[in-house]
Amino acid sequence: MAADEIAVIGGIDTHTDTHQAAVIDTVGRHLATEPFPTSPAGYQQLLDWLRSHGEVLAVGVEGTGAYGAALARFLTANGIIVVEVDRPDRKARRDNGKSDPVDAYAAATAVLSRRAKGTPKSRDGIVEAIRALRVARSSAIKARTQAINQIRTLIITAPAEVREQFRGMPTVELIDHLARSRPADDLADPACAVRTALRRLARRHRALGQEIADADAELKPLVTRAAPQLVALPGVGPESAGQLLITAGDNPERLRSEASFAHLCAAAPIPASSGRTNRHRLNRGGDRQATRALHTIVIVRMRHDRRTQEYVARRTAQGMSKKDIIRCLKRFVAREVYRHLPRPHITPQHLQPTT
């Protein structure tokens, strides 16, 4: 049978410098495997190699959000169906071994068996721009927190005259005072060295604060432009909305239902009953940052939204714990957020409740 008369499925194990590709036929027979460089020319060589074996039905790619992001965009742009493949579990690795060709064949087999059927994020729109800006903002927040923690630690261990001067001083006042200080030049003196270190940390803290403010000024109009209806929801600010947009991606239609979005956000209830206890708990998987965003929205609504406050009072009177009430509210917020994501192809079937 000629190569162009058969259908094949590809699998790709992605890495920094090379991608290992494998190809199988529709009954799972291993046909070939080959490494390709991670460059535009290498992507074209990989695609030509896959097509040389037959009609490409789909390609399973590991790491579509990391090493395989550029390759996934290239294949999609060339009309290839890309399927997101998770790493094999530990039992499968123990049974089958570990190597790049083995992982590539496993990716192709996962697509053939329909164990893997997720659509990767397209990463080609405004949400990807928001994600990139939030990466820098997040690292700046962590560095600023580290700076103030180091300042507090240095003050605790500083000589008595330095420690007593800054004891109990509020953070804003402390940073301002240290940034404007003029310590002596004798760095061999521990007190002088501590004052010098404190000034440097305070100026770093101030610079990081300005960087975060600049990032917020850039992100707010972008998030509002991407999802104005989402930002308008009670308790949803640009920070929470930005994270939920990133979780859904530029192509939220890849999520088959609002239940799948809730599962992705780790807001899907899971049975946790035993004996006389009949209850549910939240899924501990999913995107933890999305879970945090939902939690923030719920806490804000519990404090300021009358409808939420009435719900909390009613469920509390029914004997439900605060933790379970928050779990229910997270699920409700996930459903509401899904309805307001930009450009989702929502149908009545999507919005049907799942059991």
Side-chain angles (χ1 to χ4, degrees):
M1 182 179 293
D4 59 357
E5 295 178 353
I6 69 172
V8 297
I9 296 172
I12 302 173
D13 182 30
T14 59
H15 299 279
T16 304
D17 301 317
T18 61
H19 292 330
Q20 186 75 32
V23 62
I24 64 175
D25 61 15
T26 53
V27 295
R29 288 177 296 191
H30 295 186
L31 302 180
T33 179
E34 189 78 25
F36 296 91
T38 55
S39 64
Y43 300 154
Q44 186 61 55
Q45 294 170 12
L46 188 154
L47 179 58
D48 294 340
W49 178 81
L50 286 174
R51 285 174 170 167
S52 70
H53 291 86
E55 179 189 358
V56 182
L57 298 180
V59 175
V61 180
E62 279 192 23
T64 58
Y67 296 127
L71 176 62
R73 284 194 292 263
F74 175 84
L75 293 175
T76 301
N78 283 272
I80 302 297
I81 297 175
V82 177
V83 179
E84 186 172 6
V85 177
D86 294 331
R87 289 193 316 169
D89 59 28
R90 293 182 178 179
K91 182 178 184 304
R93 287 183 181 273
R94 285 195 299 266
D95 294 341
N96 302 323
K98 170 71 176 75
S99 70
D100 293 347
V102 168
D103 288 347
Y105 277 125
T109 303
V111 176
L112 177 62
S113 65
R114 295 189 63 79
R115 181 179 65 82
K117 51 186 177 181
T119 302
K121 296 178 182 178
S122 60
R123 297 181 179 272
D124 58 358
I126 190 171
V127 175
E128 178 65 11
I130 293 171
R131 186 193 69 83
L133 292 173
R134 279 176 55 85
V135 168
R137 181 185 184 277
S138 177
S139 64
I141 290 176
K142 291 180 180 179
R144 185 178 65 173
T145 301
Q146 184 183 45
I148 188 60
N149 289 341
Q150 290 175 331
I151 288 172
R152 297 294 187 187
T153 302
L154 272 177
I155 290 175
I156 290 173
T157 59
E161 64 270 21
V162 178
R163 184 174 65 254
E164 293 304 318
Q165 181 181 359
F166 301 117
R167 183 193 296 271
M169 189 176 291
T171 300
V172 175
E173 182 181 347
L174 177 64
I175 295 299
D176 183 66
H177 183 88
L178 292 175
R180 293 186 291 106
S181 64
R182 294 176 177 271
D185 295 331
D186 186 11
L187 294 179
D189 179 11
C192 177
V194 168
R195 291 180 185 275
T196 300
L198 289 173
R199 180 180 64 174
R200 290 175 180 171
L201 288 170
R203 291 180 175 179
R204 181 186 303 171
H205 186 281
R206 177 179 288 180
L208 289 168
Q210 183 59 50
E211 182 179 334
I212 294 168
D214 292 342
D216 289 338
E218 295 166 348
L219 281 166
K220 184 176 180 179
L222 280 179
V223 174
T224 304
R225 174 183 169 187
Q229 295 180 341
L230 180 59
V231 177
L233 292 176
V236 181
E239 173 67 16
S240 298
Q243 178 56 57
L244 293 171
L245 286 173
I246 293 170
T247 299
D250 280 298
N251 51 334
E253 63 272 12
R254 69 193 179 92
L255 302 171
R256 296 179 176 85
S257 67
E258 58 87 16
S260 66
F261 177 70
H263 188 78
L264 180 61
C265 295
I270 293 178
S273 303
S274 177
R276 298 179 180 179
T277 303
N278 183 15
R279 61 179 295 271
H280 290 73
R281 66 167 176 83
L282 287 179
N283 180 9
R284 295 190 177 92
D287 188 333
R288 306 312 300 169
Q289 296 303 315
T291 303
R292 186 179 68 173
L294 292 179
H295 185 83
T296 300
I297 295 170
V298 167
I299 296 302
V300 172
R301 289 187 176 187
M302 289 173 68
R303 294 176 180 174
H304 304 288
D305 183 60
R306 182 179 59 83
R307 182 181 57 168
T308 304
Q309 292 169 348
E310 292 174 352
Y311 175 85
V312 172
R314 183 173 71 253
R315 300 296 271 176
T316 301
Q318 295 173 355
M320 184 175 286
S321 67
K322 182 178 180 180
K323 181 183 295 186
D324 284 340
I325 292 173
I326 291 176
R327 173 187 62 77
C328 294
L329 287 171
K330 281 184 179 179
R331 183 65 180 86
F332 173 80
V333 172
R335 180 181 297 114
E336 189 177 25
V337 166
Y338 179 79
R339 294 172 183 263
H340 293 84
L341 289 174
R343 305 190 309 277
H345 301 319
I346 297 179
T347 66
Q349 182 180 2
H350 285 147
L351 298 179
Q352 288 180 355
T354 57
T355 57

